[in-house]
Amino acid sequence: MIKRSTGLYENFTRKEGTATRATHYCAGCGHGIITKLIGEAMAELDMQNDSVFVGPVGCATFCYYYFDCGHISAPHGRASAVATGISRVLPDKPIIAYQGDGDLGAIGFNNAFQAANRGDNFALFFVNNALYAMTGGQMAPTTLPGQRTTTTPFGRDIVKTGYPLKVCEVFETLEAPVFIERVSVADTKRIMQAKKAIKKALKIQKEKKGFAFVEILSPCPNNMRDDPVKAAEAFTEIMEKTYPLGNFRDRSEKPAPTPESVPRRTERELTGGGREGITTKNDPSFRERKFKFSGFGGQGILSLGLVVAEAAVSEGRYVSWMPSYGPEQRGGSASCSVIVGGKEIGSPTIDDPDVLVAMNQPSLERFASSVKEGGVILFESSIRSDIGFPAGVKAIPFPASSIANENGVPKAGNTAFLGAMAGMGLLPFKEKDITDALAESLSARPQLIEPNMKVFEAAKKWVSDKEHSI
């Protein structure tokens, strides 16, 4: 039998052996209407077979029983964050996220706000019923002034709890969102308007034009302690005074943004220095390298990582640099992770570095065991090394402090390690790019450039004399 798709499953089998067309929603709940509108819009746009739906925690948590498309369930408040991740991994697929007012407006607000600010490619449907419906009707960020809930039995006191959060109005202040609209499903006329907004948000996703946001005012008769008709009437009369319906933004007719269409500033414009004309290029043949630099705060650990990262940028490589340090400006532990690759880097976190530079004992003890087989540990020779190193890892004691002292720059131990890595062939870059990056890092104190270059060359010579090339 051939029939028109509805975007919803033929039967909702929520329990083994059952097949029904009844949803789990309460009588008069707006979620059921919204579910139908989204399903119909997906079918009309012929996109359900490509779409991925991110379900929330809350009343709509069982939506995967209804929508005939791909699904993933998110933790409480994190649907926007999950949708962001999926949109990056599956950039050609329409992504849909669905959240309630407690889910998005409270614990998950920053996830949604930052996704909107980035203009991530997904449609976000935000159901606003002015309270935490599933867990007993507690006050939510969207609860109205004076509204009674189980946690505000005398009404919401704005002096103690603040004013209702107006998400559409907040998102309207951002540059990136393509579409922002508030609708309602309280009566037939409003449902038709809601359907148009929902369909437009999904069409934007099908065309990959950016972030689309639809807030939907949805009655909750059960927690309002009213019958469905009266609850819907109250929503129309009361809710819309605080949350007026309407379109806040519609740029859907503009072409989808491309990297070339987005205005960009050069590094020189942003920082007053730097290099121009460098293009990052994909190079599948380039083996990704992971570096971990570690020591005490004040030893130049982060600067060392930045020099390596800048040298990689000069050669058009993909680079990530992530620092980690304690609250102390000096003396606390400090480390940074640098990844250099021939393709986009998925995460800046490093669990198994190819190269570890340890400038103090605690860092050596902490990170040595994480170095992958075939990797290299380069550590300050004045510290104890009887900790035991992983099998298949080459551990090399290096007199960085001595070399820096002998060349008149006691604080340039980090530069000595840079020179050692260059001499050992651990840095897959041209030496000129390394020394240019070193000079650039010292540009604010030009008197230090020549002495540091001397340390760099002395470290290379030490490597050559000791025949420590890798």
Side-chain angles (χ1 to χ4, degrees):
M1 182 176 68
I2 299 174
K3 62 177 288 186
R4 179 181 168 191
S5 173
T6 63
L8 302 171
Y9 290 122
E10 182 68 23
N11 294 297
F12 309 144
T13 308
R14 299 198 307 279
K15 297 180 180 179
E16 188 175 351
T18 65
T20 177
R21 289 296 289 176
T23 71
H24 70 287
Y25 300 122
C26 303
C29 171
H31 279 293
I33 298 171
I34 298 166
T35 297
K36 182 178 180 181
L37 296 181
I38 294 174
E40 288 179 344
M42 282 197 298
E44 290 170 8
L45 292 168
D46 191 26
M47 59 185 283
Q48 79 244 28
N49 290 334
D50 291 323
S51 298
V52 179
F53 196 101
V54 183
V57 169
C59 290
T61 192
F62 295 123
C63 59
Y64 48 81
Y65 288 122
Y66 311 134
F67 293 112
D68 187 8
C69 64
H71 282 273
I72 186 167
S73 293
H76 192 208
R78 307 299 181 237
S80 292
V82 173
T84 293
I86 297 173
S87 71
R88 305 294 175 87
V89 176
L90 302 174
D92 298 327
K93 302 296 183 183
I95 311 299
I96 305 165
Y98 190 108
Q99 296 185 259
D101 43 8
D103 191 315
L104 184 152
I107 187 173
F109 181 76
N110 191 51
N111 291 155
F113 180 81
Q114 297 297 344
N117 190 47
R118 291 188 298 265
D120 288 338
N121 274 290
F122 66 91
L124 177 53
F125 297 117
F126 169 51
V127 181
N128 181 358
N129 52 28
L131 41 73
Y132 281 89
M134 186 186 75
T135 53
Q138 302 95 328
M139 187 193 82
T142 54
T143 297
L144 303 179
Q147 181 180 345
R148 295 183 179 182
T149 70
T150 56
T151 52
T152 56
F154 301 105
R156 178 175 186 169
D157 183 348
I158 59 173
V159 174
K160 294 180 179 178
T161 61
Y163 288 87
L165 178 63
K166 299 181 180 181
V167 181
C168 280
E169 285 82 349
V170 173
F171 283 10
E172 188 189 14
T173 66
L174 305 175
E175 291 293 329
V178 173
F179 182 76
I180 305 170
E181 187 160 334
R182 181 183 288 130
V183 295
S184 170
V185 290
D187 60 28
T188 303
K189 177 182 176 181
R190 287 168 171 78
I191 291 171
M192 293 299 101
Q193 293 170 337
K195 181 175 182 178
K196 290 180 181 178
I198 288 169
K199 187 172 182 178
K200 176 164 284 190
L202 294 182
K203 186 171 184 288
I204 288 168
Q205 294 317 299
K206 186 174 182 178
E207 297 172 351
K208 308 308 294 181
K209 288 186 174 180
F211 184 84
F213 181 78
V214 180
E215 178 179 347
I216 307 165
L217 305 186
S218 171
C220 181
N222 190 39
N223 282 294
M224 294 174 68
R225 306 292 191 268
D226 220 334
D227 66 66
V229 174
K230 290 182 179 178
E233 290 174 350
F235 246 59
T236 299
E237 295 170 4
I238 301 171
M239 276 285 282
E240 292 178 20
K241 292 179 181 178
T242 300
Y243 300 106
L245 306 184
N247 180 265
F248 292 79
R249 179 179 302 168
D250 186 358
R251 298 173 180 167
S252 60
E253 297 306 315
K254 294 184 178 181
T258 62
E260 293 75 20
S261 69
V262 179
R264 296 179 182 272
R265 292 183 180 272
T266 66
E267 184 179 2
R268 184 173 299 278
E269 289 176 316
L270 289 170
T271 65
R275 303 167 310 286
E276 297 177 357
I278 297 171
T279 303
T280 303
K281 55 184 180 294
N282 284 309
D283 182 2
S285 66
F286 183 84
R287 181 178 67 83
E288 184 177 82
R289 270 81 161 186
K290 299 177 181 179
F291 300 87
K292 175 75 76 173
F293 303 104
S294 57
F296 287 129
Q299 289 185 301
I301 297 296
L302 307 188
S303 298
L304 174 57
L306 280 172
V307 170
V308 173
E310 291 287 354
V313 168
S314 295
E315 301 204 0
R317 301 301 182 191
Y318 288 94
V319 184
S320 72
W321 172 83
M322 185 172 72
S324 176
Y325 47 86
E328 310 93 339
Q329 187 173 16
R330 293 288 185 271
S333 62
S335 67
C336 67
S337 301
V338 177
I339 304 176
V340 181
K343 59 181 181 180
E344 287 191 7
I345 297 166
S347 169
T349 302
I350 296 178
D351 296 320
D352 54 347
D354 298 286
V355 177
L356 168 66
V357 170
M359 295 183 69
N360 66 356
Q361 186 73 34
S363 296
L364 185 62
E365 294 175 353
R366 179 181 178 187
F367 296 115
S369 62
S370 68
V371 179
K372 68 171 59 173
E373 186 175 355
V376 175
I377 299 174
L378 191 61
F379 63 96
E380 168 59 48
S381 60
S382 63
I383 64 179
R384 287 176 44 235
S385 59
D386 56 345
I387 63 170
F389 296 106
V393 172
K394 189 170 185 178
I396 304 172
F398 172 65
S401 297
S402 296
I403 290 174
N405 276 307
E406 289 167 5
N407 288 275
V409 196
K411 294 184 178 180
N414 57 343
T415 299
F417 275 107
L418 183 70
M421 286 191 293
M424 293 177 186
L426 296 174
L427 301 177
F429 324 122
K430 294 187 288 291
E431 184 171 316
K432 184 178 185 304
D433 288 327
I434 300 172
T435 54
D436 284 353
L438 176 59
E440 179 65 29
S441 73
L442 298 167
S443 59
R445 292 176 292 173
Q447 72 276 12
L448 294 179
I449 295 177
E450 186 176 345
N452 271 266
M453 292 300 176
K454 187 178 177 182
V455 172
F456 180 88
E457 292 298 329
K460 281 177 54 189
K461 185 177 185 305
W462 181 91
V463 170
S464 177
D465 292 345
K466 298 293 182 180
E467 298 182 348
H468 268 309
S469 60
I470 303 302

